[in-house]
Amino acid sequence: MTGTPPDTATTAAPVHTVVPPLTPRKFRPGGADTTPHTYEHLRLTPQTRTIGARVDGLDPAAPLDAGTRAELQQALLEWKVLFFYGQELTAGQHRGFAGVFGTPERDHPFLPSAGDPHVVRLSHDGQHPGTENIWHSDMSFSPQPPRGSVLRAVEVPATGGDTLWADMAAAYDGLPGAVRRRIADLRAVHEIPQAPGAVGAARARLQPVEHPVVRTHPETGRQLLYVNRVFTSRIVGLPTQASRELLDLLTRQADYPEYQVRLHWEPGTVAVWDNRATQHYAVSDYFPDRRVMERVTLVGDCPA
């Protein structure tokens, strides 16, 4: 069979294409700090190689000595998410425990409080399905996104309702070298998406902000991938299509199970996470059952 060869000038991929070839994926968990710390005041059980640790033998409602507080802060930096089980906390105790990790924020822009201005309630049921089932970093649309959060299970469904967290330092490490070099100095726009009700009202009040695509953790020095599907709208300086392709590639890093830890909630479970170093996803597989959580958010700083 004969024919005219294709015109390579017209069939070649656009120069802005960033999706790498389909090759077996290699998990690269390395980084600036891969040697586990030792703890004298805490009983830690790591849940994966890089993210998530269970803490046993500690009462978050009780006064904590300086050594325990320091180790909790170090454990959060090391493991990015900490889990505590069987805790019955009042709103005041919840707020007090959150203060170990930072300054509690008050008056969330669109979530209702749970009676304390520092504690917000997230409640879903048959009339109000869950909406947090997408990978995101809390409030990255803010000039100073939260440092972290402390989330407590008030009422959990009989099945389902888990939460997953992704390690965005490991996700950054796992990018191809060419992509890491390309995004080193890029910035992205973060904003509240179009939505009705309180979310839409908050959008009208808050202007879009720019943050680095790769931020440096202010305490560990680790480089972190800092774009997400909910609040990151575009890459500054790129044409629309190129921005979409690059954001798609980068946000898909959170999807890989190798970078994740998963928590099955029980009544009284408390999770503390570093919002600078992670993204999270609340699985909405319990409809129409009821799921009620309460959260204290910690004041953050400007990503750099």
Side-chain angles (χ1 to χ4, degrees), residues 262-279:
R262 182 169 184 144
L263 172 65
H264 178 67
W265 296 94
E266 301 170 1
T269 302
V270 174
V272 183
W273 70 90
D274 187 335
N275 192 58
R276 303 162 296 186
T278 64
Q279 290 186 35

Side-chain angles (χ1 to χ4, degrees), residues 8-304:
T8 56
T10 59
T11 59
V15 296
H16 61 252
T17 298
V18 296
V19 179
L22 294 176
T23 56
R25 184 168 185 81
K26 296 181 179 180
F27 177 51
R28 300 174 57 237
D33 185 8
T34 56
T35 302
H37 288 78
T38 58
Y39 296 89
E40 298 179 1
H41 302 272
L42 302 179
R43 297 209 317 266
L44 290 181
T45 306
Q47 304 298 287
T48 76
R49 292 296 296 269
T50 71
I51 181 171
R54 174 172 178 155
V55 182
D56 289 300
L58 183 141
D59 181 4
L64 301 176
D65 59 58
T68 301
R69 294 168 70 93
E71 288 195 353
L72 283 168
Q73 294 160 8
Q74 178 59 55
L76 184 60
L77 292 176
E78 180 176 11
W79 294 104
K80 306 170 187 72
V81 193
L82 302 178
F83 305 134
F84 305 81
Y85 290 86
Q87 306 299 324
E88 297 298 330
L89 303 179
T90 65
Q93 291 168 338
H94 185 172
R95 182 181 69 249
F97 182 55
V100 171
F101 303 96
T103 302
E105 191 171 74
R106 58 178 295 151
D107 301 324
H108 192 279
F110 50 78
L111 291 177
S113 75
D116 182 307
H118 300 89
V119 183
V120 299
R121 174 163 286 207
L122 300 96
S123 180
H124 298 296
D125 54 29
Q127 283 68 50
H128 305 89
T131 58
E132 298 86 12
N133 54 330
I134 184 170
W135 285 106
H136 65 285
S137 175
D138 281 337
M139 297 173 63
S140 69
F141 57 80
S142 170
Q144 295 181 302
R147 175 191 185 94
S149 287
V150 181
L151 186 65
R152 179 172 66 95
V154 177
E155 184 177 342
V156 298
T159 57
D162 295 358
T163 299
L164 294 89
W165 286 265
D167 179 346
M168 300 314 294
Y172 170 80
D173 292 341
L175 285 168
V179 176
R180 294 200 306 276
R181 289 189 292 273
R182 183 181 182 192
I183 65 177
D185 298 315
L186 294 180
R187 296 180 67 82
V189 175
H190 295 247
E191 56 188 318
I192 300 176
Q194 294 280 1
V199 176
R203 175 184 170 87
R205 296 194 308 270
L206 299 172
Q207 296 298 312
V209 298
E210 290 185 12
H211 296 311
V213 170
V214 181
R215 71 176 296 183
T216 301
H217 196 289
E219 295 178 79
T220 68
R222 289 294 301 275
Q223 289 187 294
L224 308 156
L225 192 56
Y226 198 67
V227 292
N228 66 86
R229 288 190 174 102
V230 178
F231 302 123
T232 311
S233 57
R234 61 185 173 86
I235 304 291
V236 176
L238 293 188
T240 299
Q241 184 61 27
S243 173
R244 288 174 179 166
E245 290 181 354
L246 184 54
L247 275 177
D248 180 65
L249 172 67
L250 298 178
T251 56
R252 277 191 281 120
Q253 284 296 99
D255 295 340
Y256 295 104
E258 287 87 350
Y259 305 139
Q260 300 170 4
V261 66
R262 182 169 184 144
L263 172 65
H264 178 67
W265 296 94
E266 301 170 1
T269 302
V270 174
V272 183
W273 70 90
D274 187 335
N275 192 58
R276 303 162 296 186
T278 64
Q279 290 186 35
H280 56 282
Y281 183 116
V283 184
S284 296
D285 58 352
Y286 51 91
F287 181 88
D289 291 348
R290 181 173 167 83
R291 181 180 185 267
V292 180
M293 316 293 281
E294 292 185 355
R295 189 182 80 196
V296 175
T297 302
L298 304 173
V299 174
D301 53 20
C302 296

